[in-house]
Amino acid sequence: MTTAADVPDAGTVRMVDYLAGELARAGVTHLFGVGGANIEDLYDAVHRGGAVRGVVAKHEFSAVTMADGYARTTLRLGVVAATSGGGAMNLVPGLAEAYASRVPLLALVGQPPTVQEGHGAFQDTSGKGDSFDAGEVFTPISRFCAWVEDADSLVELLPLAMAAARTEPRGPAVLLLPKDVQQARIPLPGHDDPVPTAAARTSAVQTGTVQTGTARSGATQSGAMWTGATPAGAGAAPKPAALSQAAVTEVSDILRGASTVLVIAGEGVAAADARAELSRLARRLGAWVAVTPDAKDVFDNRDPRFAGVAGVMGHANVEHCLRRADVCLLVGTRLPLLARGGLERALAATEVVCLDSEEPFVPGTALVGDLRDALRAVTDRLASSPRACPRHPGPLPAPASTPAVRPDSPAVQGRIVPYSQALAAVEAALPEDAHVFVDAGNTGASAVHLLPAPRHGRFVVALGMGGMGYTFGAGIGAALATGRRTYVLAGDGAFFMHGAEVHTAVEHSAPVTFVVFNNNAHAMCALREEFLQGGVRDDDVFGRTDIAAGVAAAFPSLDVTGAESAAHLREALLRGNTGAGPAFVALDCDPREIPPFLPFQPFARTTGHADRAEHADNKENADERRVVRAG
């Protein structure tokens, strides 16, 4: 059936066709989302245009994480699209993760037609007629949020949104698109074009509101400032401001005067593509290099300088090196709580210097600005010859501990594989250019602590919000974007939340290997209940589920393995590496195995409830208690 929107007007194009074309011109290759009546026109335009591949997810949260994984592995803008109502609201936790982790995304959110706003429209979130305002929902978790009141406005707002998403601090930008505006027609480039330029309406978008012609229509951009003319359709971030030369001098003088330096590098190094600059600076300083839990791939884990992971999932060697250091240099991290847990006393006794786009969370001397520029500027002021780093023990793993479990416990029937053995099997099979996405919980803590990052791939842990199930979508987005084998390491709790995205991987033949560590529990919660609440309830321990059998039945074409040993796991992973599409492996783990998570370590050396209660009272400081609650 032909609609009015399909009838071409000479010299015009549908707004959604213009939008799809601008995404392609910006280098976007995939659009992730879930369809619906108020976003279907955009999907139609993407299909007709052919330059951008539309990927339909099973849930909007996973669609956001697909765009997130795409952005983290390509350093390009990730794009997600969703319809109004529940679809729009399902975007919130994923956008919150991207906001907290500084991931550049563009969310295109369909809305009911403008003529229906305030008149009982289905899924009305216009803020009219006693409906809530979707803009007020998305503004706190975005760098830019705007209602597109008419098709002409998109020409101005789209490049502003893309630039805001890629301007430090990076994060999501949101455009709210009513259905009738999506269907409206605008002049083709090169024709008589009455659309006002950004400079004609405003010369700057600042923190606050930019009026675009009506009372409700506004664009909010938090944190960053955009100045100058509207950027080209590529949505490139504005050129960063020049570094403070006084700050460069101060930081360089401190580092030149230090005999021993510990670098703690964060996710900002990956986001800035500054690994080479980090390595060059570390050699000049003769420094040890530790990484935050979400940045394990920013420095070669096999380099003799590598000190390990900092913080609550980390290695004791980092504190050992920090206590010996004259200066602790933070690079690409503000050092949030999960990255500094257990290091607070040593940090307080050590001079701290920070190179990052934002001020650190700990006291110190900061050089704020573009990270690559900062690393180069400081390195150029140091002696040109490399220095050897002092000897250190290296990132030795914490001792594993598994309390005794009743042999008839339904949660642990089957062949139990300890995390250390399972992750050794993953390490043995992992291609050097693979990407790894690690989910939350005991699986995440164990992988961060035990599994070295691949030499030429990403090792991603979403710690902005720490949402369970993030990896299933993120791994698919990364695999489709790069074509590389991508490993998703997740527990059964994460699988039951968003593991249905295996269907998306099968549909698109994505080269993803899903590894599900099934302890039949929300085990980190169960251990908290055992250690800190007396073990009086077992709400988070479940009956055994054969996940491999279920997935195999659902997807007959998928390579599925129920691994019964570490050797069986390695064999299945190696077989999956040789295929072009997805593979799935599940293995049974013990819900009582204590992960290498700092607040739990005192209990790894105790037995019995009385001892555990004593440790809960006497061995855990206030910061550690707060971290456990976050877990």
Side-chain angles (χ1 to χ4, degrees), residues 296 302 417-430 436-438 441-452 459 487-490 515 517 565-567 569-570 573 587 589 593 595-596:
K296 202 165 182 183
R302 298 161 183 84
V417 182
Y419 283 102
S420 58
Q421 294 180 20
L423 290 165
V426 172
E427 179 183 359
L430 189 66
V436 178
F437 284 78
V438 176
N442 286 6
T443 297
S446 298
V448 168
H449 190 82
L450 296 171
L451 180 64
F459 189 105
Y487 276 42
V488 166
L489 309 181
V515 186
F517 299 73
S565 67
L569 170 61
R570 179 177 178 272
L573 296 176
L587 62 150
C589 298
E593 181 175 346

mmCIF file of all heavy atoms in Angstrom, residues 296 302 417-430 436-438 441-452 459 487-490 515 517 565-567 569-570 573 587 589 593 595-596:
data_model
loop_
_atom_site.group_PDB
_atom_site.id
_atom_site.type_symbol
_atom_site.label_atom_id
_atom_site.label_comp_id
_atom_site.label_asym_id
_atom_site.label_seq_id
_atom_site.Cartn_x
_atom_site.Cartn_y
_atom_site.Cartn_z
ATOM 1 N N LYS A 296 41.510 -3.234 31.443
ATOM 2 C CA LYS A 296 42.592 -4.210 31.487
ATOM 3 C C LYS A 296 43.364 -4.285 30.171
ATOM 4 O O LYS A 296 44.513 -4.732 30.135
ATOM 5 C CB LYS A 296 42.020 -5.588 31.847
ATOM 6 C CG LYS A 296 43.057 -6.528 32.428
ATOM 7 C CD LYS A 296 42.459 -7.732 33.103
ATOM 8 C CE LYS A 296 43.570 -8.598 33.698
ATOM 9 N NZ LYS A 296 43.044 -9.829 34.315
ATOM 10 N N ARG A 302 51.249 -8.799 29.750
ATOM 11 C CA ARG A 302 52.417 -9.678 29.831
ATOM 12 C C ARG A 302 53.728 -8.884 29.872
ATOM 13 O O ARG A 302 54.809 -9.473 29.923
ATOM 14 C CB ARG A 302 52.407 -10.654 28.661
ATOM 15 C CG ARG A 302 51.167 -11.565 28.682
ATOM 16 C CD ARG A 302 50.900 -12.198 27.329
ATOM 17 N NE ARG A 302 49.685 -12.994 27.329
ATOM 18 C CZ ARG A 302 48.457 -12.498 27.145
ATOM 19 N NH1 ARG A 302 48.296 -11.201 26.944
ATOM 20 N NH2 ARG A 302 47.411 -13.289 27.156
ATOM 21 N N VAL A 417 33.300 -26.897 37.666
ATOM 22 C CA VAL A 417 34.595 -26.429 37.166
ATOM 23 C C VAL A 417 34.972 -25.167 37.942
ATOM 24 O O VAL A 417 34.238 -24.178 37.888
ATOM 25 C CB VAL A 417 34.539 -26.120 35.660
ATOM 26 C CG1 VAL A 417 35.919 -25.672 35.155
ATOM 27 C CG2 VAL A 417 34.041 -27.313 34.873
ATOM 28 N N PRO A 418 36.066 -25.164 38.678
ATOM 29 C CA PRO A 418 36.476 -23.948 39.393
ATOM 30 C C PRO A 418 36.741 -22.805 38.420
ATOM 31 O O PRO A 418 37.179 -23.024 37.284
ATOM 32 C CB PRO A 418 37.769 -24.372 40.108
ATOM 33 C CG PRO A 418 37.683 -25.865 40.200
ATOM 34 C CD PRO A 418 36.960 -26.305 38.960
ATOM 35 N N TYR A 419 36.489 -21.591 38.874
ATOM 36 C CA TYR A 419 36.686 -20.426 38.006
ATOM 37 C C TYR A 419 38.113 -20.342 37.501
ATOM 38 O O TYR A 419 38.359 -19.982 36.341
ATOM 39 C CB TYR A 419 36.328 -19.139 38.755
ATOM 40 C CG TYR A 419 34.842 -18.890 38.870
ATOM 41 C CD1 TYR A 419 34.164 -19.146 40.051
ATOM 42 C CD2 TYR A 419 34.123 -18.379 37.790
ATOM 43 C CE1 TYR A 419 32.801 -18.908 40.159
ATOM 44 C CE2 TYR A 419 32.765 -18.135 37.888
ATOM 45 C CZ TYR A 419 32.101 -18.412 39.080
ATOM 46 O OH TYR A 419 30.762 -18.175 39.184
ATOM 47 N N SER A 420 39.087 -20.654 38.348
ATOM 48 C CA SER A 420 40.482 -20.530 37.921
ATOM 49 C C SER A 420 40.781 -21.461 36.757
ATOM 50 O O SER A 420 41.461 -21.085 35.787
ATOM 51 C CB SER A 420 41.423 -20.823 39.093
ATOM 52 O OG SER A 420 41.186 -22.130 39.615
ATOM 53 N N GLN A 421 40.269 -22.696 36.815
ATOM 54 C CA GLN A 421 40.495 -23.643 35.729
ATOM 55 C C GLN A 421 39.727 -23.234 34.474
ATOM 56 O O GLN A 421 40.235 -23.335 33.353
ATOM 57 C CB GLN A 421 40.083 -25.046 36.165
ATOM 58 C CG GLN A 421 40.933 -25.631 37.275
ATOM 59 C CD GLN A 421 40.487 -27.024 37.663
ATOM 60 O OE1 GLN A 421 39.804 -27.716 36.898
ATOM 61 N NE2 GLN A 421 40.864 -27.454 38.859
ATOM 62 N N ALA A 422 38.501 -22.773 34.657
ATOM 63 C CA ALA A 422 37.691 -22.363 33.512
ATOM 64 C C ALA A 422 38.326 -21.181 32.784
ATOM 65 O O ALA A 422 38.396 -21.154 31.545
ATOM 66 C CB ALA A 422 36.284 -22.010 33.979
ATOM 67 N N LEU A 423 38.816 -20.201 33.536
ATOM 68 C CA LEU A 423 39.405 -19.022 32.913
ATOM 69 C C LEU A 423 40.765 -19.328 32.308
ATOM 70 O O LEU A 423 41.173 -18.699 31.328
ATOM 71 C CB LEU A 423 39.483 -17.883 33.915
ATOM 72 C CG LEU A 423 38.089 -17.320 34.270
ATOM 73 C CD1 LEU A 423 38.156 -16.452 35.514
ATOM 74 C CD2 LEU A 423 37.519 -16.540 33.096
ATOM 75 N N ALA A 424 41.470 -20.306 32.850
ATOM 76 C CA ALA A 424 42.709 -20.758 32.206
ATOM 77 C C ALA A 424 42.393 -21.377 30.845
ATOM 78 O O ALA A 424 43.151 -21.197 29.871
ATOM 79 C CB ALA A 424 43.435 -21.757 33.093
ATOM 80 N N ALA A 425 41.278 -22.090 30.756
ATOM 81 C CA ALA A 425 40.859 -22.663 29.480
ATOM 82 C C ALA A 425 40.481 -21.565 28.493
ATOM 83 O O ALA A 425 40.794 -21.650 27.294
ATOM 84 C CB ALA A 425 39.687 -23.625 29.694
ATOM 85 N N VAL A 426 39.804 -20.533 28.983
ATOM 86 C CA VAL A 426 39.467 -19.400 28.122
ATOM 87 C C VAL A 426 40.744 -18.735 27.625
ATOM 88 O O VAL A 426 40.869 -18.412 26.431
ATOM 89 C CB VAL A 426 38.571 -18.394 28.872
ATOM 90 C CG1 VAL A 426 38.384 -17.123 28.045
ATOM 91 C CG2 VAL A 426 37.226 -19.010 29.211
ATOM 92 N N GLU A 427 41.693 -18.519 28.517
ATOM 93 C CA GLU A 427 42.956 -17.885 28.119
ATOM 94 C C GLU A 427 43.666 -18.695 27.040
ATOM 95 O O GLU A 427 44.203 -18.136 26.076
ATOM 96 C CB GLU A 427 43.863 -17.727 29.335
ATOM 97 C CG GLU A 427 45.209 -17.090 29.004
ATOM 98 C CD GLU A 427 46.143 -17.004 30.206
ATOM 99 O OE1 GLU A 427 45.740 -17.421 31.299
ATOM 100 O OE2 GLU A 427 47.283 -16.523 30.031
ATOM 101 N N ALA A 428 43.654 -20.004 27.177
ATOM 102 C CA ALA A 428 44.345 -20.864 26.217
ATOM 103 C C ALA A 428 43.705 -20.813 24.832
ATOM 104 O O ALA A 428 44.386 -20.980 23.817
ATOM 105 C CB ALA A 428 44.361 -22.300 26.723
ATOM 106 N N ALA A 429 42.394 -20.571 24.784
ATOM 107 C CA ALA A 429 41.677 -20.581 23.500
ATOM 108 C C ALA A 429 41.503 -19.199 22.897
ATOM 109 O O ALA A 429 41.218 -19.084 21.698
ATOM 110 C CB ALA A 429 40.294 -21.220 23.701
ATOM 111 N N LEU A 430 41.692 -18.165 23.674
ATOM 112 C CA LEU A 430 41.331 -16.816 23.252
ATOM 113 C C LEU A 430 42.259 -16.297 22.150
ATOM 114 O O LEU A 430 43.464 -16.191 22.351
ATOM 115 C CB LEU A 430 41.401 -15.880 24.461
ATOM 116 C CG LEU A 430 40.869 -14.452 24.289
ATOM 117 C CD1 LEU A 430 39.369 -14.460 24.041
ATOM 118 C CD2 LEU A 430 41.194 -13.624 25.543
ATOM 119 N N VAL A 436 36.786 -9.158 24.394
ATOM 120 C CA VAL A 436 36.215 -9.854 25.541
ATOM 121 C C VAL A 436 35.290 -8.888 26.272
ATOM 122 O O VAL A 436 35.694 -7.767 26.613
ATOM 123 C CB VAL A 436 37.316 -10.357 26.504
ATOM 124 C CG1 VAL A 436 36.687 -11.045 27.711
ATOM 125 C CG2 VAL A 436 38.263 -11.306 25.785
ATOM 126 N N PHE A 437 34.061 -9.333 26.522
ATOM 127 C CA PHE A 437 33.106 -8.550 27.306
ATOM 128 C C PHE A 437 32.742 -9.359 28.543
ATOM 129 O O PHE A 437 32.280 -10.498 28.441
ATOM 130 C CB PHE A 437 31.857 -8.225 26.474
ATOM 131 C CG PHE A 437 32.090 -7.135 25.467
ATOM 132 C CD1 PHE A 437 32.755 -7.394 24.288
ATOM 133 C CD2 PHE A 437 31.670 -5.838 25.721
ATOM 134 C CE1 PHE A 437 33.000 -6.387 23.357
ATOM 135 C CE2 PHE A 437 31.898 -4.817 24.803
ATOM 136 C CZ PHE A 437 32.564 -5.094 23.625
ATOM 137 N N VAL A 438 32.970 -8.758 29.700
ATOM 138 C CA VAL A 438 32.843 -9.455 30.982
ATOM 139 C C VAL A 438 31.660 -8.875 31.745
ATOM 140 O O VAL A 438 31.575 -7.661 31.950
ATOM 141 C CB VAL A 438 34.137 -9.308 31.809
ATOM 142 C CG1 VAL A 438 33.981 -9.950 33.171
ATOM 143 C CG2 VAL A 438 35.312 -9.928 31.050
ATOM 144 N N GLY A 441 29.085 -9.680 38.685
ATOM 145 C CA GLY A 441 28.996 -10.785 39.629
ATOM 146 C C GLY A 441 30.294 -11.544 39.800
ATOM 147 O O GLY A 441 31.384 -11.074 39.492
ATOM 148 N N ASN A 442 30.168 -12.783 40.310
ATOM 149 C CA ASN A 442 31.347 -13.588 40.587
ATOM 150 C C ASN A 442 32.149 -13.883 39.321
ATOM 151 O O ASN A 442 33.380 -13.923 39.345
ATOM 152 C CB ASN A 442 30.933 -14.908 41.247
ATOM 153 C CG ASN A 442 30.512 -14.718 42.692
ATOM 154 O OD1 ASN A 442 30.428 -13.595 43.175
ATOM 155 N ND2 ASN A 442 30.232 -15.814 43.380
ATOM 156 N N THR A 443 31.433 -14.083 38.208
ATOM 157 C CA THR A 443 32.121 -14.311 36.940
ATOM 158 C C THR A 443 32.980 -13.105 36.576
ATOM 159 O O THR A 443 34.147 -13.242 36.178
ATOM 160 C CB THR A 443 31.102 -14.585 35.823
ATOM 161 O OG1 THR A 443 30.382 -15.783 36.125
ATOM 162 C CG2 THR A 443 31.790 -14.724 34.474
ATOM 163 N N GLY A 444 32.411 -11.917 36.719
ATOM 164 C CA GLY A 444 33.142 -10.705 36.382
ATOM 165 C C GLY A 444 34.360 -10.501 37.251
ATOM 166 O O GLY A 444 35.457 -10.200 36.752
ATOM 167 N N ALA A 445 34.193 -10.644 38.564
ATOM 168 C CA ALA A 445 35.316 -10.452 39.475
ATOM 169 C C ALA A 445 36.436 -11.443 39.179
ATOM 170 O O ALA A 445 37.624 -11.090 39.187
ATOM 171 C CB ALA A 445 34.844 -10.591 40.921
ATOM 172 N N SER A 446 36.069 -12.684 38.896
ATOM 173 C CA SER A 446 37.082 -13.708 38.622
ATOM 174 C C SER A 446 37.804 -13.429 37.310
ATOM 175 O O SER A 446 39.031 -13.566 37.216
ATOM 176 C CB SER A 446 36.416 -15.089 38.578
ATOM 177 O OG SER A 446 35.826 -15.399 39.828
ATOM 178 N N ALA A 447 37.057 -13.033 36.276
ATOM 179 C CA ALA A 447 37.677 -12.772 34.974
ATOM 180 C C ALA A 447 38.594 -11.558 35.029
ATOM 181 O O ALA A 447 39.695 -11.569 34.457
ATOM 182 C CB ALA A 447 36.599 -12.584 33.915
ATOM 183 N N VAL A 448 38.159 -10.494 35.689
ATOM 184 C CA VAL A 448 39.004 -9.304 35.810
ATOM 185 C C VAL A 448 40.305 -9.647 36.517
ATOM 186 O O VAL A 448 41.383 -9.179 36.144
ATOM 187 C CB VAL A 448 38.246 -8.189 36.559
ATOM 188 C CG1 VAL A 448 39.189 -7.063 36.962
ATOM 189 C CG2 VAL A 448 37.120 -7.641 35.690
ATOM 190 N N HIS A 449 40.224 -10.495 37.526
ATOM 191 C CA HIS A 449 41.402 -10.827 38.328
ATOM 192 C C HIS A 449 42.320 -11.828 37.625
ATOM 193 O O HIS A 449 43.555 -11.704 37.700
ATOM 194 C CB HIS A 449 40.937 -11.413 39.662
ATOM 195 C CG HIS A 449 42.025 -11.575 40.679
ATOM 196 N ND1 HIS A 449 42.465 -10.542 41.475
ATOM 197 C CD2 HIS A 449 42.782 -12.663 41.019
ATOM 198 C CE1 HIS A 449 43.430 -10.977 42.273
ATOM 199 N NE2 HIS A 449 43.643 -12.260 42.016
ATOM 200 N N LEU A 450 41.745 -12.801 36.925
ATOM 201 C CA LEU A 450 42.521 -13.949 36.479
ATOM 202 C C LEU A 450 42.828 -13.984 34.986
ATOM 203 O O LEU A 450 43.817 -14.597 34.578
ATOM 204 C CB LEU A 450 41.773 -15.247 36.845
ATOM 205 C CG LEU A 450 41.587 -15.520 38.337
ATOM 206 C CD1 LEU A 450 40.643 -16.700 38.537
ATOM 207 C CD2 LEU A 450 42.926 -15.796 39.009
ATOM 208 N N LEU A 451 42.001 -13.378 34.160
ATOM 209 C CA LEU A 451 42.138 -13.549 32.716
ATOM 210 C C LEU A 451 42.924 -12.402 32.094
ATOM 211 O O LEU A 451 42.474 -11.253 32.116
ATOM 212 C CB LEU A 451 40.747 -13.638 32.071
ATOM 213 C CG LEU A 451 40.723 -13.816 30.547
ATOM 214 C CD1 LEU A 451 41.355 -15.147 30.154
ATOM 215 C CD2 LEU A 451 39.291 -13.727 30.032
ATOM 216 N N PRO A 452 44.084 -12.653 31.512
ATOM 217 C CA PRO A 452 44.807 -11.576 30.819
ATOM 218 C C PRO A 452 44.017 -11.076 29.616
ATOM 219 O O PRO A 452 43.324 -11.840 28.942
ATOM 220 C CB PRO A 452 46.109 -12.257 30.374
ATOM 221 C CG PRO A 452 46.245 -13.466 31.245
ATOM 222 C CD PRO A 452 44.846 -13.915 31.524
ATOM 223 N N PHE A 459 38.973 -5.477 26.202
ATOM 224 C CA PHE A 459 38.555 -6.241 27.390
ATOM 225 C C PHE A 459 37.634 -5.295 28.149
ATOM 226 O O PHE A 459 38.106 -4.399 28.859
ATOM 227 C CB PHE A 459 39.778 -6.628 28.216
ATOM 228 C CG PHE A 459 39.493 -7.592 29.350
ATOM 229 C CD1 PHE A 459 39.863 -8.920 29.247
ATOM 230 C CD2 PHE A 459 38.870 -7.170 30.514
ATOM 231 C CE1 PHE A 459 39.622 -9.811 30.304
ATOM 232 C CE2 PHE A 459 38.621 -8.038 31.560
ATOM 233 C CZ PHE A 459 39.000 -9.366 31.459
ATOM 234 N N TYR A 487 34.262 -12.723 22.709
ATOM 235 C CA TYR A 487 33.858 -13.598 23.804
ATOM 236 C C TYR A 487 32.978 -12.810 24.781
ATOM 237 O O TYR A 487 33.331 -11.706 25.183
ATOM 238 C CB TYR A 487 35.087 -14.122 24.550
ATOM 239 C CG TYR A 487 35.742 -15.344 23.943
ATOM 240 C CD1 TYR A 487 35.917 -15.463 22.559
ATOM 241 C CD2 TYR A 487 36.197 -16.378 24.747
ATOM 242 C CE1 TYR A 487 36.521 -16.579 22.010
ATOM 243 C CE2 TYR A 487 36.812 -17.502 24.207
ATOM 244 C CZ TYR A 487 36.966 -17.594 22.834
ATOM 245 O OH TYR A 487 37.571 -18.707 22.288
ATOM 246 N N VAL A 488 31.875 -13.423 25.162
ATOM 247 C CA VAL A 488 31.010 -12.905 26.209
ATOM 248 C C VAL A 488 31.116 -13.849 27.394
ATOM 249 O O VAL A 488 30.811 -15.044 27.278
ATOM 250 C CB VAL A 488 29.550 -12.804 25.729
ATOM 251 C CG1 VAL A 488 28.600 -12.591 26.894
ATOM 252 C CG2 VAL A 488 29.400 -11.682 24.708
ATOM 253 N N LEU A 489 31.578 -13.333 28.522
ATOM 254 C CA LEU A 489 31.730 -14.124 29.744
ATOM 255 C C LEU A 489 30.708 -13.643 30.753
ATOM 256 O O LEU A 489 30.760 -12.499 31.207
ATOM 257 C CB LEU A 489 33.143 -13.982 30.311
ATOM 258 C CG LEU A 489 34.305 -14.222 29.329
ATOM 259 C CD1 LEU A 489 35.640 -14.076 30.056
ATOM 260 C CD2 LEU A 489 34.207 -15.594 28.670
ATOM 261 N N ALA A 490 29.749 -14.504 31.097
ATOM 262 C CA ALA A 490 28.641 -14.068 31.942
ATOM 263 C C ALA A 490 28.183 -15.214 32.826
ATOM 264 O O ALA A 490 28.394 -16.396 32.517
ATOM 265 C CB ALA A 490 27.476 -13.581 31.074
ATOM 266 N N VAL A 515 29.999 -17.646 26.769
ATOM 267 C CA VAL A 515 30.430 -18.597 27.799
ATOM 268 C C VAL A 515 29.660 -18.260 29.069
ATOM 269 O O VAL A 515 29.853 -17.188 29.662
ATOM 270 C CB VAL A 515 31.946 -18.513 28.055
ATOM 271 C CG1 VAL A 515 32.372 -19.607 29.025
ATOM 272 C CG2 VAL A 515 32.723 -18.625 26.744
ATOM 273 N N PHE A 517 28.864 -19.139 32.868
ATOM 274 C CA PHE A 517 29.327 -19.801 34.092
ATOM 275 C C PHE A 517 28.107 -19.966 34.997
ATOM 276 O O PHE A 517 27.670 -19.016 35.661
ATOM 277 C CB PHE A 517 30.403 -18.959 34.773
ATOM 278 C CG PHE A 517 31.633 -18.743 33.941
ATOM 279 C CD1 PHE A 517 31.635 -17.877 32.848
ATOM 280 C CD2 PHE A 517 32.815 -19.415 34.237
ATOM 281 C CE1 PHE A 517 32.775 -17.670 32.081
ATOM 282 C CE2 PHE A 517 33.962 -19.223 33.476
ATOM 283 C CZ PHE A 517 33.941 -18.346 32.397
ATOM 284 N N SER A 565 34.297 -30.186 31.922
ATOM 285 C CA SER A 565 35.632 -30.019 32.502
ATOM 286 C C SER A 565 36.295 -28.840 31.823
ATOM 287 O O SER A 565 35.817 -28.341 30.788
ATOM 288 C CB SER A 565 36.477 -31.287 32.291
ATOM 289 O OG SER A 565 36.743 -31.466 30.906
ATOM 290 N N ALA A 566 37.411 -28.412 32.382
ATOM 291 C CA ALA A 566 38.154 -27.311 31.764
ATOM 292 C C ALA A 566 38.667 -27.714 30.381
ATOM 293 O O ALA A 566 38.654 -26.910 29.444
ATOM 294 C CB ALA A 566 39.316 -26.896 32.661
ATOM 295 N N ALA A 567 39.102 -28.960 30.234
ATOM 296 C CA ALA A 567 39.580 -29.426 28.939
ATOM 297 C C ALA A 567 38.445 -29.439 27.908
ATOM 298 O O ALA A 567 38.645 -29.067 26.743
ATOM 299 C CB ALA A 567 40.186 -30.816 29.075
ATOM 300 N N LEU A 569 35.850 -27.516 27.988
ATOM 301 C CA LEU A 569 35.581 -26.106 27.694
ATOM 302 C C LEU A 569 36.559 -25.582 26.649
ATOM 303 O O LEU A 569 36.157 -24.942 25.664
ATOM 304 C CB LEU A 569 35.684 -25.287 28.980
ATOM 305 C CG LEU A 569 35.661 -23.766 28.836
ATOM 306 C CD1 LEU A 569 34.361 -23.286 28.207
ATOM 307 C CD2 LEU A 569 35.873 -23.103 30.200
ATOM 308 N N ARG A 570 37.838 -25.851 26.846
ATOM 309 C CA ARG A 570 38.854 -25.376 25.889
ATOM 310 C C ARG A 570 38.600 -25.944 24.504
ATOM 311 O O ARG A 570 38.676 -25.223 23.490
ATOM 312 C CB ARG A 570 40.242 -25.765 26.386
ATOM 313 C CG ARG A 570 41.372 -25.344 25.448
ATOM 314 C CD ARG A 570 42.727 -25.699 26.061
ATOM 315 N NE ARG A 570 43.827 -25.358 25.157
ATOM 316 C CZ ARG A 570 44.294 -26.183 24.217
ATOM 317 N NH1 ARG A 570 43.773 -27.403 24.085
ATOM 318 N NH2 ARG A 570 45.293 -25.810 23.435
ATOM 319 N N LEU A 573 35.724 -24.076 22.900
ATOM 320 C CA LEU A 573 36.094 -22.713 22.513
ATOM 321 C C LEU A 573 36.943 -22.706 21.249
ATOM 322 O O LEU A 573 36.748 -21.867 20.359
ATOM 323 C CB LEU A 573 36.839 -22.027 23.663
ATOM 324 C CG LEU A 573 36.037 -21.818 24.951
ATOM 325 C CD1 LEU A 573 36.932 -21.206 26.034
ATOM 326 C CD2 LEU A 573 34.826 -20.943 24.711
ATOM 327 N N LEU A 587 28.875 -24.061 31.521
ATOM 328 C CA LEU A 587 29.544 -24.964 32.444
ATOM 329 C C LEU A 587 29.030 -24.694 33.846
ATOM 330 O O LEU A 587 28.550 -23.595 34.153
ATOM 331 C CB LEU A 587 31.052 -24.770 32.393
ATOM 332 C CG LEU A 587 31.608 -23.400 32.785
ATOM 333 C CD1 LEU A 587 32.997 -23.550 33.395
ATOM 334 C CD2 LEU A 587 31.700 -22.478 31.579
ATOM 335 N N CYS A 589 29.439 -24.129 37.796
ATOM 336 C CA CYS A 589 30.371 -23.621 38.800
ATOM 337 C C CYS A 589 29.716 -23.699 40.170
ATOM 338 O O CYS A 589 28.508 -23.935 40.306
ATOM 339 C CB CYS A 589 30.759 -22.173 38.480
ATOM 340 S SG CYS A 589 31.601 -21.983 36.901
ATOM 341 N N GLU A 593 31.899 -20.771 45.806
ATOM 342 C CA GLU A 593 33.292 -20.410 45.543
ATOM 343 C C GLU A 593 33.454 -18.910 45.735
ATOM 344 O O GLU A 593 32.728 -18.110 45.140
ATOM 345 C CB GLU A 593 33.706 -20.811 44.129
ATOM 346 C CG GLU A 593 35.161 -20.481 43.830
ATOM 347 C CD GLU A 593 35.625 -20.988 42.474
ATOM 348 O OE1 GLU A 593 34.914 -21.814 41.866
ATOM 349 O OE2 GLU A 593 36.704 -20.548 42.031
ATOM 350 N N PRO A 595 34.881 -15.430 45.155
ATOM 351 C CA PRO A 595 35.618 -14.784 44.075
ATOM 352 C C PRO A 595 36.711 -13.879 44.616
ATOM 353 O O PRO A 595 36.699 -13.487 45.789
ATOM 354 C CB PRO A 595 34.534 -13.965 43.363
ATOM 355 C CG PRO A 595 33.580 -13.604 44.452
ATOM 356 C CD PRO A 595 33.552 -14.806 45.371
ATOM 357 N N PRO A 596 37.672 -13.487 43.776
ATOM 358 C CA PRO A 596 38.728 -12.560 44.199
ATOM 359 C C PRO A 596 38.200 -11.132 44.259
ATOM 360 O O PRO A 596 38.580 -10.264 43.477
ATOM 361 C CB PRO A 596 39.790 -12.744 43.108
ATOM 362 C CG PRO A 596 39.020 -13.174 41.908
ATOM 363 C CD PRO A 596 37.883 -13.994 42.403
#
